[in-house]
Amino acid sequence: MANEEDDPVVQEIDVYLAKSLAEKLYLFQYPVRPASMTYDDIPHLSAKIKPKQQKVELEMAIDTLNPNYCRSKGEQIALNVDGACADESSTYSSKLMDKQTFCSSQSTSNTARYAAALYRQGELHLTPLHGILQLRPSFSYLDKADAKHREREAANEAGDSSQDEAEEDVKQITVRFSRPESEQARQRRVQSYEFLQKKHAEEPWVHLHYYGLRDSRSEHERQYLLCQGSSGVENTELVKSPSEYLMMLMPPSPEEEKDKPVAPSNVLSMAQLRTLPLADQIKILMKNVKVMPFANLMSLLGPSIDSVAVLRGIQKVAMLVQGNWVVKSDILYPKDSSSPHSGVPAEVLCRGRDFVMWKFTQSRWVVRKEVAAVTKLCTEDVKDFLEHMAVVRINKGWEFILPYDGEFIKKHPDVVQRQHMLWSGIQAKLEKVYNLVKETLPKKPDGQSGPAGLVSGDQRVQVARSKAQQNHALLERELQRRKEQVRASTVLPGVRIKEEPVSEEGEEEEEQEAEDEEPMDTSLGGGLHSRLANGLPGGRAAGGDSFNGHPPPGCAGTPVARELRAFVEATFQRQFVLTLSELKRLFNLHLASLPPGHTLFSGISDRMLQDTVLAAGCKQILVPFPPQTAASPDEQKVFALWESGDMSDQHRQVLLEIFSKNYRVRRNMIQSRLTQECGEDLSKQEVDKVLKDCCVSYGGMWYLKGTVQS
């Protein structure tokens, strides 16, 4: 007690942990030099590093004008190394030993106990060291001098030998074949010193640029030795509870560790989890749980964790959906991964999952078939997306798994606003990638920020039904107006107007569609498709004859024909292969985006649409579907753009001829046929492009787009 009273606390210093250079900071230990000379005063000629081995080589100039430098020795060393004639490969181009090489070696393998400290304005900032390297002079130039000496001796001995010496006798050579290497022999060879030295020599050198102490770049890099968040929010590693600090000072003995049950490799206990940095804790929890309210996340992290730090960390790995946090897609699907079901790359999976997450920001319910139709992904991938964040409800669709968290929305409006801006950017990207029509996108009512904006599946069915009835009434009025115009016109007196009753089959189909497992599409295109055939009410799609006094749209030169031809050409320039069913769906979506009274509402039959496709330079591919196929007749009619004017026309034509004889083909067959028809110089990129334009991969086989039935 007396000693403590005599030694009072004079000053308390805040300690911060700076991690900006945690994985990049090395400590170099140079040989001893006079105190008056610093290494910054010596010109650094070059520097290079092997990162995996943590090996560094520095070339530093020698002051040849120093009175302590022996010039005669320097000239002699340069002569021994490079010889009398100097060239570009010479070590000392000035014929004088004017530089020295320093090579590094690791002084210790465990650098966890060491850190670089910087004291500034009453704060101590610590940066962990990634490595400690001792630099020592390298005498490789002596090895080069010895090699030169041996070459000169060998040349002298060859000159003294007799030129008339008889040729050497022919020697017998025995050829031996090595036996197959066993696994044990291979393990010994891999662990041998010679093999390790060879692997080390194969690592390439990375050349570095040296900046002096007074350089502006050095001053900029020194700023990274300071902790960026001096408020202490990002330095939770230095804030430990008494029990955690005691555990760090006195870890359990190895005997106690052995008595504990061994958990699976993919399971992390909460005790182990809390030893990790806060950012890693949040990432691991969200990756495993996938959807979590903020209150639950705080309860798992512990009461001593600051909520502000958790809010910063959660926004890096998750997105806000209906007041809850959903893990980001790139966390579940890293960059170089692929789907275990279809093999599509991670980029496509992330885009499809982002579309599902965005749909849940607009509505409480999502339809699986709608997601599959937009993203063009297989059923298993779409089901995985939905199972991450929703539960299926019979006759309704998929409902978001957690209730709306209005308390978090009210408590953190700044976070909600930031997330809203992020979702706006994601929505713009999805509209561009998936060619979504803005008029058909679901919109949230103005001023609605709570769960009142969420609608159920039954409500969506009612909205779609009323919208389809309104569209039908609008088309009826437009049709009646055209009839009156035709009756009053005398331009075409010989045309007979068809008066056919409106079919009620569309309404019956609509009633049946509302009773399916999932709600119908609320877009205008979906409503038209259930009631129209290529944009016409049921039973009114005419054949090749005139319709209500108008010439057939297939007649060249008419406004309807030009509009239809423009739509077909633009569609096939984007998608080179389409089935008739998919083309009709795209055409109905196109009609939904047109204003009332447009010329294309005059009536387009299936025959007119097919004739226009063939007239636009496309061909029908007679794909031999299997007898047990579930494809409809419209899905079995496949059309492809034969000539688009680019360099891939020939490759595409060869590919389409292959599929005219085969329903599904392996890639090696396509590769060999393209190589045979187009030459040996066909690159992998060209093959990938034509496959991407025309085909889809499923189960290791390639199909024409629209023909595979998953």
Side-chain angles (χ1 to χ4, degrees), residues 329-453:
S329 302
D330 55 359
I331 302 296
L332 296 179
Y333 304 107
K335 185 176 181 181
D336 297 328
S337 62
S338 59
S339 169
H341 306 295
S342 58
V344 298
E347 181 182 359
V348 181
L349 293 176
C350 292
R351 191 187 307 145
R353 189 174 180 274
D354 287 345
F355 177 76
V356 175
M357 293 169 62
W358 171 76
K359 292 288 289 183
F360 276 120
T361 63
Q362 307 294 316
S363 173
R364 185 76 185 168
W365 303 83
V366 165
V367 184
R368 178 180 56 81
K369 292 181 180 179
E370 179 184 351
V371 175
V374 173
T375 60
K376 307 298 183 184
L377 293 173
C378 69
T379 307
E380 289 79 5
D381 288 333
V382 176
K383 189 176 180 181
D384 284 349
F385 300 158
L386 294 170
E387 288 178 345
H388 290 168
M389 62 193 82
V391 291
V392 64
R393 306 294 188 193
I394 299 176
N395 297 332
K396 291 184 178 181
W398 290 79
E399 184 184 10
F400 193 67
I401 194 170
L402 294 178
Y404 186 88
D405 193 352
E407 182 180 354
F408 180 84
I409 298 295
K410 295 178 182 179
K411 190 175 180 180
H412 304 281
D414 53 338
V415 177
V416 175
Q417 180 64 23
R418 192 179 303 113
Q419 290 291 312
H420 177 71
M421 295 173 62
L422 293 176
W423 277 120
S424 299
I426 294 175
Q427 176 180 348
K429 182 179 179 181
L430 293 175
E431 291 175 0
K432 182 178 179 181
V433 172
Y434 291 131
N435 296 325
L436 301 179
V437 182
K438 292 187 177 181
E439 289 78 7
T440 62
L441 291 175
K443 296 181 180 179
K444 217 174 183 182
D446 296 337
Q448 194 167 312
S449 60

Side-chain angles (χ1 to χ4, degrees), residues 392-620:
V392 64
R393 306 294 188 193
I394 299 176
N395 297 332
K396 291 184 178 181
W398 290 79
E399 184 184 10
F400 193 67
I401 194 170
L402 294 178
Y404 186 88
D405 193 352
E407 182 180 354
F408 180 84
I409 298 295
K410 295 178 182 179
K411 190 175 180 180
H412 304 281
D414 53 338
V415 177
V416 175
Q417 180 64 23
R418 192 179 303 113
Q419 290 291 312
H420 177 71
M421 295 173 62
L422 293 176
W423 277 120
S424 299
I426 294 175
Q427 176 180 348
K429 182 179 179 181
L430 293 175
E431 291 175 0
K432 182 178 179 181
V433 172
Y434 291 131
N435 296 325
L436 301 179
V437 182
K438 292 187 177 181
E439 289 78 7
T440 62
L441 291 175
K443 296 181 180 179
K444 217 174 183 182
D446 296 337
Q448 194 167 312
S449 60
L454 305 176
V455 295
S456 65
D458 296 335
Q459 292 173 334
R460 294 184 67 192
V461 172
Q462 296 297 331
V463 171
R465 181 177 301 171
S466 61
K467 196 172 184 179
Q469 293 174 356
Q470 293 175 4
N471 294 331
H472 180 66
L474 181 63
L475 291 174
E476 285 292 332
R477 289 195 298 269
E478 178 66 20
L479 183 60
Q480 188 64 28
R481 185 181 64 82
R482 289 182 177 275
K483 288 180 179 181
E484 294 175 357
Q485 290 179 355
V486 172
R487 291 193 185 99
S489 175
T490 58
V491 178
L492 300 172
V495 177
R496 180 176 59 87
I497 301 174
K498 293 186 177 181
E499 298 288 349
E500 297 178 0
V502 178
S503 174
E504 300 296 333
E505 296 177 358
E507 295 182 3
E508 296 176 359
E509 293 175 1
E510 183 184 28
E511 295 287 344
Q512 182 65 29
E513 190 170 330
E515 297 176 0
D516 289 342
E517 287 189 7
E518 299 175 350
M520 63 182 291
D521 193 358
T522 60
S523 64
L524 181 58
L528 284 174
H529 184 68
S530 65
R531 187 175 286 275
L532 305 179
N534 286 338
L536 291 177
R540 298 209 174 193
D545 54 346
S546 62
F547 181 80
N548 290 338
H550 290 272
C555 298
T558 62
V560 179
R562 288 195 297 269
E563 289 287 342
L564 184 60
R565 178 71 174 265
F567 161 76
V568 169
E569 291 178 349
T571 302
F572 275 93
Q573 284 293 336
R574 293 192 304 268
Q575 306 183 37
F576 293 92
V577 177
L578 286 171
T579 62
L580 180 59
S581 175
E582 179 67 11
L583 182 61
K584 289 164 63 176
R585 187 186 69 84
L586 295 176
F587 182 64
N588 285 331
L589 290 176
H590 179 65
L591 286 179
S593 65
L594 297 177
H598 195 273
T599 55
L600 284 181
F601 281 103
S602 60
I604 305 298
S605 66
D606 290 356
R607 180 62 179 273
M608 297 173 190
L609 190 61
Q610 295 180 60
D611 292 343
T612 305
V613 170
L614 297 176
C618 302
K619 289 188 177 182
Q620 184 175 358

Side-chain angles (χ1 to χ4, degrees), residues 142-161:
L142 296 179
D143 297 336
K144 190 174 182 181
D146 291 343
K148 288 279 187 181
H149 180 68
R150 286 193 295 269
E151 289 178 2
R152 287 194 293 268
E153 288 184 350
N156 293 335
E157 292 178 0
D160 295 340
S161 61

Side-chain angles (χ1 to χ4, degrees), residues 142-208:
L142 296 179
D143 297 336
K144 190 174 182 181
D146 291 343
K148 288 279 187 181
H149 180 68
R150 286 193 295 269
E151 289 178 2
R152 287 194 293 268
E153 288 184 350
N156 293 335
E157 292 178 0
D160 295 340
S161 61
S162 175
Q163 300 295 329
D164 299 333
E165 187 177 7
E167 294 184 0
E168 296 182 0
D169 297 336
V170 178
K171 295 181 180 180
Q172 183 179 2
I173 299 176
T174 303
V175 180
R176 296 181 180 179
F177 296 94
S178 61
R179 292 178 297 178
E181 188 179 28
S182 63
E183 182 63 23
Q184 294 180 351
R186 191 189 71 82
Q187 291 290 343
R188 288 195 299 269
R189 180 176 60 82
V190 169
Q191 297 176 2
S192 64
Y193 176 78
E194 182 181 359
F195 182 83
L196 294 177
Q197 288 295 105
K198 182 179 178 182
K199 294 294 290 184
H200 289 170
E202 290 176 354
E203 183 182 358
W205 286 101
V206 178
H207 292 274
L208 308 175

